[in-house]
Amino acid sequence: MRFFSKLGSFLSGNLLGCLVAGYKRIPGLYKAAFWTVFVALNIVFAYHTAHFIWGNHEWVYMRDGITWRNFWYEARFTETLPYALFGFELLPILLNEFAFMGISLSLLLLAIYWRIPKEKWAYIGFGLMMAFIPYNLSWLYHVAQTSFLWGCALIISALMILEKIEDKKISFWGHLAVIFLLWFVLGFSAAFINTMLICFIGRCLIDL
């Protein structure tokens, strides 16, 4: 038991150190854009975080928890997996923060993928404009489905990896990562195929 205790302490300490070091290496432009959009989302959608005017889905999951098989009947076989981070419990405020982080990261990656000029005003302006498209509120309709809001980040990550795997040294693992990311996000909902096409076609138009 002492061995596993020491191993756990070692891994947790090193993991935290790696995360801090990795965060410090992120360009200031990216951090400024991410946190500006994240804070703005929290301010604008504060009412959504605070209210509890929910439907039957939310109250059932609040009472019974979320199991890994909850959405299998809709062929959404990976949608519940992100809730493992929360012990498969519906935690309204934390889930909203998780969702807002997903939106902020997605828009940052989209700005990079669409080659928005690397200026602070351009990244922040693009992020805020896209974050507050009225349709985005529909993504927050079900508190129990906020993992959806990480789907865009996974799709854009897959598309960005595809651009890098011309190098034969990472070709196999690159393709494997892309397949896994797309498999995972399409397990959230098959409707994400539309998001993938919009991101890809938008990039093609920009490159014309």
Side-chain angles (χ1 to χ4, degrees), residues 109 152-162 178 181:
L109 292 175
C152 297
L154 298 180
I155 286 172
I156 299 165
S157 297
L159 293 172
M160 292 173 74
I161 292 172
L162 277 174
V178 169
L181 287 171

Side-chain angles (χ1 to χ4, degrees), residues 131-146:
F132 298 117
I133 293 173
Y135 179 75
N136 284 351
L137 184 59
S138 68
W139 290 83
L140 297 170
Y141 181 75
H142 285 303
V143 178
Q145 294 181 338
T146 49

Side-chain angles (χ1 to χ4, degrees), residues 18-87:
C18 289
L19 290 174
V20 171
Y23 180 78
K24 288 180 178 178
R25 286 197 294 268
I26 297 173
L29 169 64
Y30 296 165
K31 288 189 281 192
F34 174 88
W35 288 115
T36 301
V37 173
F38 178 74
V39 170
L41 284 166
N42 273 280
I43 294 171
V44 172
F45 293 122
Y47 71 93
H48 185 277
T49 303
H51 84 71
F52 292 89
I53 307 173
W54 295 346
N56 63 326
H57 290 69
E58 280 66 38
W59 290 118
V60 169
Y61 296 138
M62 174 72 80
R63 184 190 65 203
D64 300 334
I66 300 172
T67 70
W68 59 279
R69 294 182 297 179
N70 263 124
F71 301 109
W72 274 31
Y73 70 96
E74 295 179 331
R76 296 176 178 178
F77 49 87
T78 60
E79 185 180 347
T80 58
L81 295 183
Y83 296 104
L85 297 171
F86 306 99

Side-chain angles (χ1 to χ4, degrees), residues 95-148:
L95 283 177
N96 261 31
E97 297 307 307
F98 183 65
F100 295 153
M101 290 185 74
I103 297 174
S104 304
L105 179 60
S106 297
L107 294 176
L108 173 59
L109 292 175
L110 186 61
I112 297 170
Y113 183 62
W114 277 1
R115 297 178 179 173
I116 300 299
K118 288 191 174 183
E119 300 286 345
K120 188 176 291 187
W121 65 267
Y123 266 59
I124 292 175
F126 175 80
L128 293 175
M129 179 185 70
M130 297 296 287
F132 298 117
I133 293 173
Y135 179 75
N136 284 351
L137 184 59
S138 68
W139 290 83
L140 297 170
Y141 181 75
H142 285 303
V143 178
Q145 294 181 338
T146 49
S147 62
F148 267 39

